[in-house]
Amino acid sequence: MTQSTFPNHLVQSAVAAALAEDLGLAGDITGDAVLSGDETMSGAIRARENGVIAGLPLAIEAFRQLDPKIELTIAMTDGSRVKAGDTVLEIMGNSRRILASERVALNYLCHLSGIASLTAKFVEQVEGTNASICCTRKTLPGLRAFQKYAVRAGGGQNHRYGLDQAILIKDNHIASAGGVAQVLERVKHHASHMVRVEIEVDTLEQLLEVMNYKVDAVLLDNMKPAILREAVELVDGRAITEASGGVNLQSVKEIAKSGVDLISVGALTHSAPVFDLGLDFL
Amino acid sequence: MTQSTFPNHLVQSAVAAALAEDLGLAGDITGDAVLSGDETMSGAIRARENGVIAGLPLAIEAFRQLDPKIELTIAMTDGSRVKAGDTVLEIMGNSRRILASERVALNYLCHLSGIASLTAKFVEQVEGTNASICCTRKTLPGLRAFQKYAVRAGGGQNHRYGLDQAILIKDNHIASAGGVAQVLERVKHHASHMVRVEIEVDTLEQLLEVMNYKVDAVLLDNMKPAILREAVELVDGRAITEASGGVNLQSVKEIAKSGVDLISVGALTHSAPVFDLGLDFL
Amino acid sequence: MTQSTFPNHLVQSAVAAALAEDLGLAGDITGDAVLSGDETMSGAIRARENGVIAGLPLAIEAFRQLDPKIELTIAMTDGSRVKAGDTVLEIMGNSRRILASERVALNYLCHLSGIASLTAKFVEQVEGTNASICCTRKTLPGLRAFQKYAVRAGGGQNHRYGLDQAILIKDNHIASAGGVAQVLERVKHHASHMVRVEIEVDTLEQLLEVMNYKVDAVLLDNMKPAILREAVELVDGRAITEASGGVNLQSVKEIAKSGVDLISVGALTHSAPVFDLGLDFL
Amino acid sequence: MTQSTFPNHLVQSAVAAALAEDLGLAGDITGDAVLSGDETMSGAIRARENGVIAGLPLAIEAFRQLDPKIELTIAMTDGSRVKAGDTVLEIMGNSRRILASERVALNYLCHLSGIASLTAKFVEQVEGTNASICCTRKTLPGLRAFQKYAVRAGGGQNHRYGLDQAILIKDNHIASAGGVAQVLERVKHHASHMVRVEIEVDTLEQLLEVMNYKVDAVLLDNMKPAILREAVELVDGRAITEASGGVNLQSVKEIAKSGVDLISVGALTHSAPVFDLGLDFL
Amino acid sequence: MTQSTFPNHLVQSAVAAALAEDLGLAGDITGDAVLSGDETMSGAIRARENGVIAGLPLAIEAFRQLDPKIELTIAMTDGSRVKAGDTVLEIMGNSRRILASERVALNYLCHLSGIASLTAKFVEQVEGTNASICCTRKTLPGLRAFQKYAVRAGGGQNHRYGLDQAILIKDNHIASAGGVAQVLERVKHHASHMVRVEIEVDTLEQLLEVMNYKVDAVLLDNMKPAILREAVELVDGRAITEASGGVNLQSVKEIAKSGVDLISVGALTHSAPVFDLGLDFL
Amino acid sequence: MTQSTFPNHLVQSAVAAALAEDLGLAGDITGDAVLSGDETMSGAIRARENGVIAGLPLAIEAFRQLDPKIELTIAMTDGSRVKAGDTVLEIMGNSRRILASERVALNYLCHLSGIASLTAKFVEQVEGTNASICCTRKTLPGLRAFQKYAVRAGGGQNHRYGLDQAILIKDNHIASAGGVAQVLERVKHHASHMVRVEIEVDTLEQLLEVMNYKVDAVLLDNMKPAILREAVELVDGRAITEASGGVNLQSVKEIAKSGVDLISVGALTHSAPVFDLGLDFL
């Protein structure tokens, strides 16, 4: 597993934008109308189901941006496994400010913990095999850095962060360039030495052709477990093997048993349901 | 249903940011390495399941920002019901530019169509009742305007856009202010005349007390259908009635039959699975 | 009166932009040339006429952004009535930094206190009547949130913050939609339940037609006080009544006596003369 | 008079920000609810009083950003003198988009024309004298470039744009530096050769001392016309003479007759009342 | 050589910021004062020495942002070798607008052509050897994407774009982690499969230890050519070999003859002198 | 020499942008992979050659933005002359955070110290003459404020910061306007009184014509030292004299002996080689 270091340099501006999105020009007109501004409250964010936490730095930042004096007791860290009822964060401070930042804090925390928790379920399924679970570029616009981090918090690996981090040659590239030979010849001459090269193959025939060249990884797309097994044998350690397509919590174990190194799952970042957390006031 | 006008004033900067997130400084190093830059391709975005489309203006903008000369044939509009296999958008242009914008276009389109399609399923369940389906502020940071729009495209209504658009008094406000009487008294004096006021109640007793005051809407939180029915009778048209809590595709019909005006569903924006669309090249 | 809570989430970036506007790339070339950088000074911002203060958080932020160590003694709060000679804020710190932030601080404070003071004059005129004074969307670009806040500091109310906060149907909408019946029918089906609906009428005949529908407020545009009185009677508490057009410090009292709930005054935000404050050094 | 070239490089982002301020996330919920989206309308922006126009490029940009296909007939240019009833701009296009941009267009146009018109009144008063009218740094935050431009459109001159453009030594600088000799000695050594140097004096004694040094301009602050006349004689063409303080439409003529080169008026940018323009639909 | 595709998605905002830096609020006060605004001119950007061009898209964008109607004849492309006197770009348009954008256009073009030209000199020195020339992260803040592109235009390769694109383990990492074994063990478990791993070694002993592990590249820091030769033999094709330290136009040939794959040169981006180009008016 | 006050108001956002450029979305994937996150280290930034330091506030801000708790001992100030081996800044803190900010800190410090050091060499050459060394607008986009500051730190003067700060009439302006008489006539009527006016001349004949008008400075372009001497005599103190063109460390002394007030050198900001500084860990 890649380590789950938080992208701290992105937190401040992301949270400021999220608060601006919720507060608009007029701010929290409910709290402004019904509270005097002097009330204080204390509460706790608690898990309402079992799973894995991710996104605490964003939640904490949301509370602190609206109330620099807020008192927080941080009971869990990102990557912590929690059970329903567990306290994640205790809060004490000005009521108006807490109620104005609560939703942004929870929106981040529930979404990212949802990703971490779903990732953890996939990881659990492949335990005992050679396979790691990884994410894709199928992320929600504006949230990629945090979503990829949440995958790591859940025990998964990150595939490339963007088009700029690694070369991944897909069927359309091969078709446009005129074939595997042409495309890999071009890569040899035009790619930076500091980026990895992965190529997608759909059949064992394509894989055979590809293995005549030096590539870092092969993406075995939409292959049945039995075919995947043959592909892994054919590669024989000369490249990283990645399976993709048709992966879900039911199918992942069989895919993993094929011996592939990696299984990429788009759903981790595009379809993870929210993890249920709530802020209970005392 | 509120009309589904797209927030056009937000499209350009949102798409630019999403492309920057994917392209980084180095850009699409795969296309740059393996294509000459002169290749052209044509393809079609097609639905791979049945549902409702939303987000086309964002997908179109993504293609156009990287290739102002791209030729697009728009086969559907947001809100269109599609079946697996239906073509949504046809594309013809420079291969490198299309392949560099494809993922951003699809990330928007699949996510927002996922929201529209889930909304449409809820709306279908409540057909024939008085109830409308609406969303909440449980949105993903940075995507609220587009997510709320997608709810409308799916036939739903929007609840308030943010803390700045309407007053919604929750249990914590009531507790902090010292009771229903105090909180509604304060609202009368401190709220703008141009914003609606809704108040959350958990029991029929609270509802009775609330109805002594003039409010625009009551949020009936976590009430069983039988209690909801009593609540609707008690309100008797003097305020809009909104049910929330424990709403899913199984429970929503019974809730709707209670006679409430609105049913709010957080899952529409926080947990909608992606709608499956793919770009097939010809 | 709506409460005058400051839009704190907007202060930091607004002040940074205002300082950048004044300092450019080269900064304060006067202070840099004629001071050594070690000098300190102390001074006081004092009112030079009678009125109401607004904008202190912006002035304070301006001084603090250029000198985090500045010592400030805050003698008034926004909404305070001051007399010529009253001290509003005492300042002690580095001369170069104070002289570089002084103008931005005063530009905000004098403009917003000007709005608060003008609002207070209108409010004074309508004392003893049913009417509140409110502002419009005729604000200066980029300053709306602060200008609307200043109106509240002066004892006024806010009309809608923007096109996104409430529905206000004007004569052009009615003409375009084909009449009052059509436009209000459309609103019933297409408006969110969480936004108020106001409609402009120019004559009692229009008002009669409008009152066949459920609206939250009616905007009685350019009616003489006598007609306004008839309009108020006709509405009879079924909607909020707002008068607009031809309102000034001379006419407002007669308008208020008509019994309307609200009187909207564009001049509060588009034509308020500056309130005279100066920074005197000791 | 400095020429009135518009700061075109600032228009696009300023207007985009102003529209975002008015539209928020939800956009124009009135037009979206009550119009179908297909309606078109035509209208004209007309002056409702006599004065000078400024800000047309901003108004035009506002209409175009929301509707790139809008048809505009531009009847006046910035700096044009108009009479009540004169048409300034004719508009034909989509109703929803026009109604959503109208307020931003008018807010810019009315405010800047207000500044140009007020400037023109001052300029008229000093006709036949040696004096030009100029503005100050007492501008409204975020609007300086446009406000200073409007002063030029009205026939005035610009004083320095910001702290970065020229050196203006005030009483506090002199006090901090230890006297006129010290401050002007420092300027000689520490100022760039490409910036002008102006120094404020309050008495003829100070002026006498200052004239021992080479300065580009002297700011004669709060002097009576008779004293100003003596000051002008004393300077005798060796520096530009600028009068400030207590300048209004009543006093400006007498001040101008003293022979000063410039009269600076803060009110041009901080207190100009709006110029009345309206969009009449046909 | 990696291909020299321009980072088009960064051009518009970079050029807008550069123009804003030069124009400030007041704009080009020279052109505004001395030209009427109607003058046109034509001219040509010509090389004043021999070298390689880079940055044309930025220069073109600068001219177009201030004058969308400008007529440009593009005589060269990035990567073109030019001789003193060669025309690079012909320009015809409004004088005021050309003179206001000229400096920004040339600042980009001269700087980036300087980098491309210096790179080309290094590349020329190593012709006939196995070595490629590449850049480092020693770039000027804000200009990295364009500088790295200019290196490619000059025939060089790009090393990693930033800390996010590849793993490069330096002596401090090894020291902090407790040795080569520990650091490479950690990488095996914590690094993403899609990023390359390079490790710096200073001696042949370190290199021997490193080659017990699988790494993509070794950075041979500050080794004499003779030692480099031994290092290349020792690696024997199992990793990419990169030499760094003490590289200049005199030393680079000997270093290249050692057989290393890459030679990284910080000076390409941090110390390239400007390439002399001028805009001659006709 | 103009004083070297740092443009503090630009530091925070510039450094944040520079860090974002280096860290991307994924951050420092090396430090994240090979360090545990608990390691600390201490080190010192030391000069590796003789020269003048500039840019310390940017380097310090870079370290602090990633680690607010870092302990820094600042051994030099901007403008300090250092020798190879001198310590500039001592650092103690978290290893991961220091290694992630080191490159940005050094990129600023080495570049700006390079400018200051080169400026100091030119200044040294003209010691004992009347001439000051100054920079131009030939700066690198995005870095102008810092580059101009570094010139001051090295003992140089700043020419105008941008097109907005002063009027500089070049040959193209004269040609477009129809001659020296026309252009200076226009300036007299259209320029603000607060900006200096400089005019470029290429021959003594032009200079003679120019001196019939009042200008603040004359730019003597590409004149030989002997001609410059004649020009200085001809001007005779009535304007500042500035020499430009063909200035380098070899030629500058002779140029200075001509008696000109200023010598402008584009190379200071467009071609200064980096000053060698390194971070040595203890």
Side-chain angles (χ1 to χ4, degrees), chain A residues 20 23-27 29 32-33 35 66 96-97, chain C residues 3 5-10 12 144-145 152 161 165:
Chain A
L23 291 165
L25 297 181
I29 58 177
D32 287 356
L35 300 177
L66 288 203
R96 238 193 217 165
R97 291 164 184 259
Chain C
Q3 287 196 111
T5 307
F6 201 82
N8 292 300
H9 63 296
L10 303 173
Q12 192 176 2
R144 186 172 290 175
R152 296 199 305 274
Y161 260 72
Q165 204 189 28

Side-chain angles (χ1 to χ4, degrees), chain E residues 86-278:
Chain E
D86 284 356
T87 293
V88 173
L89 185 70
E90 290 179 334
I91 298 163
M92 193 164 78
N94 180 280
S95 304
R96 236 194 220 165
R97 291 165 184 261
I98 287 175
L99 292 171
S101 48
E102 170 194 4
R103 187 72 264 140
V104 165
L106 286 173
N107 282 349
Y108 273 123
L109 197 57
C110 296
H111 175 59
L112 297 176
S113 299
I115 289 175
S117 300
L118 180 60
T119 304
K121 286 181 192 162
F122 275 93
V123 169
E124 207 171 296
Q125 288 297 316
V126 303
E127 256 169 36
T129 72
N130 179 49
S132 299
I133 297 298
C134 75
C135 57
T136 67
R137 280 171 51 242
K138 294 179 179 175
T139 58
L140 300 182
L143 295 166
R144 185 172 288 173
F146 302 127
Q147 291 191 314
K148 294 223 163 217
Y149 159 81
V151 167
R152 295 198 307 271
Q157 278 218 22
N158 290 152
H159 207 284
R160 60 176 177 166
Y161 260 72
L163 291 168
D164 59 330
Q165 204 189 29
I167 287 180
L168 173 43
I169 303 163
K170 298 195 177 168
D171 46 1
N172 291 305
H173 295 112
I174 298 173
S176 283
V180 164
Q182 286 81 345
V183 84
L184 287 176
E185 203 60 41
R186 289 190 69 87
V187 160
K188 197 155 69 183
H189 290 92
H190 297 304
S192 160
H193 69 292
M194 284 309 284
V195 295
R196 288 241 159 122
V197 176
E198 180 170 15
I199 184 163
E200 176 187 331
V201 296
D202 301 322
T203 64
L204 293 176
E205 290 67 40
Q206 282 182 314
L207 180 60
L208 260 174
E209 186 182 4
V210 158
M211 292 313 295
N212 293 324
Y213 298 85
K214 185 168 162 31
V215 295
D216 296 290
V218 287
L219 177 61
L220 308 165
D221 195 40
N222 271 317
M223 290 181 179
K224 304 263 179 226
I227 307 291
L228 283 173
R229 197 169 316 231
E230 283 188 63
V232 170
E233 278 171 25
L234 196 154
V235 171
D236 194 23
R238 288 172 296 165
I240 294 161
T241 51
E242 173 184 349
S244 74
V247 186
N248 53 46
L249 282 170
Q250 284 67 51
S251 66
V252 69
K253 196 165 197 166
E254 276 312 299
I255 292 170
K257 285 183 181 165
S258 71
V260 293
D261 299 308
L262 285 163
I263 302 172
S264 54
V265 190
L268 299 184
T269 50
H270 68 50
S271 294
V274 92
F275 179 78
D276 197 3
L277 291 146

